[in-house]
Amino acid sequence: MSFIGVGLRKEHYPYLRKGEPVRISWFEAITENYMDTQGRPLEMLESIRKHFPIALHGVSLSILGGTFPDKKYLQRWKELIRRIDPFLVSDHLCWTEQSGNYLHDLLPFPFTKEFLEFAIERAERIQEILGRRILLENVSTYLSFPQNEMTEWEFISELSKKSGCGILLDINNIYVNSVNHGFSPSEYLRSIPWENVGQIHLAGHTDTGEFLFDTHSRPVAKEVWELFSSFSDKIQGIPILLEWDEDIPGFPEMEEEALKAKSILESVSK
């Protein structure tokens, strides 16, 4: 059974308020857009929550930052979880903060044994504070480190196995990184412990001519759909989400793009 969702974006609030037909099954809300407000955005989220399952997806945890995530941030996150009761909670495997300065980018790190132990300890502490499992997403990157001692998929696999966190597998990010860094996306997907994958992300990227850039500004690329189809037997039953954050189309168009995933899964299962 396919479980297809889209990112909840303010551009679609008017459409959703009208009670227009919705064919997707769930929404993913950006955590930070709702944890610091008691106003209309939170009212909108609670209204949608009455009718649809919600996943919370953060962008500012900075799990691998120089300092442990701020206590007040974690408390506000925990309060939003209590209020919304999401079926999934996730953030990114990266860092965004250093010495109190937030850079608003999802920044890469070296795949070393030392960093792996660091990430495991951080993930365990955060899950203990929240009192629940979190999913961590592989991010798109545009540089690699000469200190790397393992592949990205080996790092994420070990982190998940040893910390108990789930994997939010972004197939577009895998494809973007495979082109930018020269590895096989199929090998990446074959090597992941699929029993730990709790969610799939899909999105569109931009080809700059020199590298691929994860823009979330267009439909999913043909190559990403091909990867999705190739691993459809693994993906069956995992919640799938389409992200679209720039040049956002109307809700029906975005929903149509998301439902391509359902069509692919149904066609290959026949």
Side-chain angles (χ1 to χ4, degrees):
M1 182 180 74
S2 56
F3 191 46
I4 312 295
V6 299
L8 179 63
R9 301 294 180 260
K10 62 181 175 54
E11 287 80 359
H12 297 144
Y13 286 177
Y15 180 92
L16 297 171
R17 283 197 187 98
K18 290 179 184 176
E20 299 283 356
V22 172
R23 293 184 291 155
I24 51 92
S25 304
W26 59 284
F27 287 90
E28 182 184 82
I30 300 297
T31 305
E32 290 79 4
N33 287 351
Y34 303 95
M35 62 194 292
D36 294 322
T37 176
Q38 298 295 317
R40 296 184 66 183
L42 187 56
E43 291 177 6
M44 186 67 196
L45 180 59
E46 290 183 319
S47 174
I48 291 175
R49 179 66 185 89
K50 292 177 182 176
H51 306 286
F52 296 93
I54 295 287
L56 289 178
H57 183 53
V59 295
S60 301
L61 174 61
S62 191
I63 190 170
L64 300 180
T67 56
F68 189 74
D70 181 74
K71 286 184 179 179
K72 291 182 179 178
Y73 174 89
L74 293 173
Q75 288 170 356
R76 294 197 301 272
W77 188 14
K78 192 172 182 177
E79 171 56 24
L80 183 63
I81 290 171
R82 184 201 64 76
R83 190 161 184 164
I84 299 301
D85 189 24
F87 73 100
L88 289 175
V89 173
S90 65
D91 206 294
H92 298 83
L93 183 60
C94 67
W95 61 282
T96 64
E97 173 274 341
Q98 182 67 33
S99 304
N101 298 308
Y102 286 88
L103 305 172
H104 304 293
D105 276 312
L106 306 175
L107 298 169
F109 57 91
F111 302 127
T112 64
K113 295 177 183 175
E114 181 179 5
F115 240 95
L116 176 59
E117 292 303 316
F118 180 65
I120 292 169
E121 189 270 339
R122 285 280 177 90
E124 288 176 341
R125 286 180 64 187
I126 289 166
Q127 290 180 123
E128 183 177 350
I129 290 170
L130 295 180
R132 65 177 295 161
R133 183 194 196 207
I134 62 171
L135 276 62
L136 291 172
E137 178 182 356
N138 58 298
V139 300
S140 58
T141 57
Y142 309 96
L143 60 84
S144 59
F145 294 85
Q147 301 95 329
N148 284 349
E149 298 173 334
M150 62 189 84
T151 63
E152 179 180 320
W153 55 90
E154 289 171 338
F155 189 99
I156 292 174
S157 298
E158 286 302 301
L159 170 61
S160 177
K161 291 174 183 175
K162 293 182 177 177
S163 73
C165 75
I167 299 172
L168 197 174
L169 199 60
D170 190 313
I171 297 179
N172 177 63
N173 287 349
I174 291 173
Y175 180 72
V176 165
N177 289 356
S178 74
V179 173
N180 291 345
H181 304 307
F183 62 76
S184 165
S186 295
E187 182 180 2
Y188 191 127
L189 288 163
R190 280 195 301 271
S191 304
I192 282 291
W194 281 91
E195 66 275 15
N196 293 350
V197 177
Q199 186 182 345
I200 299 290
H201 267 184
L202 295 165
H205 61 257
T206 298
D207 188 346
T208 70
E210 296 182 354
F211 61 92
L212 302 186
F213 190 50
D214 182 32
T215 52
H216 295 190
S217 63
R218 56 186 59 204
V220 178
K222 173 176 65 69
E223 294 85 353
V224 175
W225 281 129
E226 289 172 351
L227 278 173
F228 180 89
S229 179
S230 297
F231 287 86
S232 58
D233 60 328
K234 304 286 188 183
I235 292 170
Q236 295 279 4
I238 298 176
I240 301 160
L241 181 107
L242 175 73
E243 294 180 300
W244 205 316
D245 296 296
E246 300 289 341
D247 300 327
I248 299 174
F251 188 85
E253 182 180 344
M254 189 170 79
E255 186 180 52
E256 193 66 31
E257 181 69 11
L259 291 172
K260 290 180 182 176
K262 181 179 180 181
S263 298
I264 291 172
L265 293 179
E266 290 177 347
S267 66
V268 297
S269 65
K270 291 179 179 177

